[in-house]
Amino acid sequence: MIDRRSVLFLTLSLLLAAGAYAADDEVEVIKPPKVPPADDEKKPDLSRVVKQIVQKTNAFRKDEGRAPVEANATLTKTAEAFARYMARTDRYGHTADGSKHTERAKKQGYDYCVVLENIAYQYESDGFTSEQLAKGYFEGWKKSPGHRKNMLDPDVTETGVAVARSAKTGYYYAVQMFGRPKSQAYKFAVVNRSRATVSYKVDGKDYTVSRNSTRTHTHCRQPEVSFAAAGGEEKKIKPQAGERLLVTAGKGGVQVTTQKAPGKKP
């Protein structure tokens, strides 16, 4: 008779290992489990598992004050290809197939500004319900600092999730990707309506804009823009995509007004 306690310990150990934020060049070759799958093991609906992971992630992001991420077909295709590769070869790691997650996304045609990746694997000889498998991945990533950071990244807007099972070992491999396409880059303009050249900083880097001129910036992540204000203090602004920072003369410094770009809805 199989000791189910040892099986449970094995499962938790694997989930803990998968929850670690592995370096990009770490690749683990997964060996067959000591306790094989039971004849009457539970079989999860993997499409349902994927949906639940996305739902749980968005609920988590909402709780933490983040905007939801939407499923993206290209990111999903990228995640599916890599999950199937790990399931087919039982090689686990961010570079298991010899490439990085950014390269895989680009190969599938995702023109990204930001792209991130979480991976994990689980095994249980008794199998999993869809709810158990989804919860295991979500909780494992949530408790891992590196993966949690990816899940709560404020600049990502899209996601792609996939789960595949190894026919040889019975392990379930999951890939969770996050992205922000270049089409959603933070593009903003500094419009100088003062009578002198204005100096300012974008993420600590110095810039100037001549009087009656406009300077446009494009960033993949939301930048911080700072201007010298009255009293020698700095006025700091985090512009949204498409915004205009209108600079006018002010007592002891400049005044900055944030405006939507022409044609943009408020």
Side-chain angles (χ1 to χ4, degrees):
M1 181 176 180
I2 297 174
D3 185 352
R4 296 301 177 190
R5 291 175 298 177
S6 64
V7 177
L8 178 61
F9 176 74
L10 175 64
T11 304
L12 292 176
S13 297
L14 290 175
L15 183 55
L16 180 61
Y21 194 62
D24 282 346
D25 58 353
E26 291 181 355
V27 177
E28 179 182 0
V29 178
I30 306 300
K31 298 180 180 180
K34 294 181 180 179
V35 182
D39 293 335
D40 59 347
E41 65 170 324
K42 297 185 287 289
K43 297 287 183 65
D45 179 342
L46 297 187
S47 63
R48 185 175 178 181
V49 172
V50 166
K51 290 180 181 179
Q52 289 190 8
I53 290 173
V54 174
Q55 291 171 352
K56 289 177 181 292
T57 298
N58 274 332
F60 181 38
R61 288 178 64 86
K62 182 179 179 180
D63 290 343
E64 297 295 324
R66 304 290 193 270
V69 287
E70 296 184 359
N72 173 272
T74 305
L75 280 181
T76 299
K77 186 177 179 181
T78 305
E80 288 173 344
F82 191 42
R84 286 196 296 265
Y85 174 86
M86 289 192 289
R88 186 173 67 254
T89 63
D90 283 304
R91 286 171 55 83
Y92 172 79
H94 289 287
T95 57
D97 64 349
S99 60
K100 296 181 179 180
H101 63 286
T102 51
E103 296 168 334
R104 290 190 289 272
K106 186 175 182 180
K107 182 179 179 180
Q108 294 291 349
Y110 191 70
D111 192 19
Y112 66 88
C113 242
V114 179
V115 64
L116 309 170
E117 179 184 81
N118 287 343
I119 60 175
Y121 61 79
Q122 293 188 77
Y123 173 79
E124 166 61 72
S125 66
D126 285 337
F128 299 92
T129 64
S130 301
E131 291 74 15
Q132 288 171 336
L133 193 61
K135 182 179 179 181
Y137 289 129
F138 171 73
E139 293 294 338
W141 286 326
K142 182 179 177 181
K143 293 175 183 177
S144 167
H147 297 89
R148 180 188 180 97
K149 182 179 179 181
N150 287 348
M151 295 170 77
L152 295 178
D153 191 291
D155 294 316
V156 298
T157 59
E158 299 176 336
T159 189
V161 179
V163 181
R165 190 186 192 190
S166 168
K168 182 172 63 176
T169 64
Y171 284 66
Y172 289 92
Y173 295 89
V175 178
Q176 180 184 48
M177 302 197 74
F178 298 98
R180 185 184 190 94
K182 282 187 178 179
S183 60
Q184 295 180 12
Y186 290 94
K187 187 175 182 179
F188 66 97
V190 178
V191 183
N192 185 4
R193 291 293 180 263
S194 70
R195 297 181 180 179
T197 297
V198 171
S199 298
Y200 61 99
K201 294 181 179 181
V202 181
D203 287 339
K205 186 176 180 179
D206 293 321
Y207 291 91
T208 60
V209 57
S210 303
R211 63 179 183 173
N212 296 320
S213 298
T214 298
R215 186 162 191 168
T216 302
H217 297 265
T218 302
H219 289 252
C220 282
R221 291 189 175 276
Q222 187 177 31
E224 182 178 79
V225 186
S226 57
F227 298 85
E233 297 181 358
E234 282 189 326
K235 181 178 179 62
K236 296 181 179 180
I237 300 172
K238 286 194 172 184
Q240 297 294 330
E243 286 187 337
R244 289 155 45 100
L245 306 184
L246 182 61
V247 183
T248 56
K251 187 177 180 179
V254 297
Q255 292 182 341
V256 184
T257 305
T258 302
Q259 300 180 332
K260 289 291 182 182
K264 292 283 184 178
K265 294 182 179 181

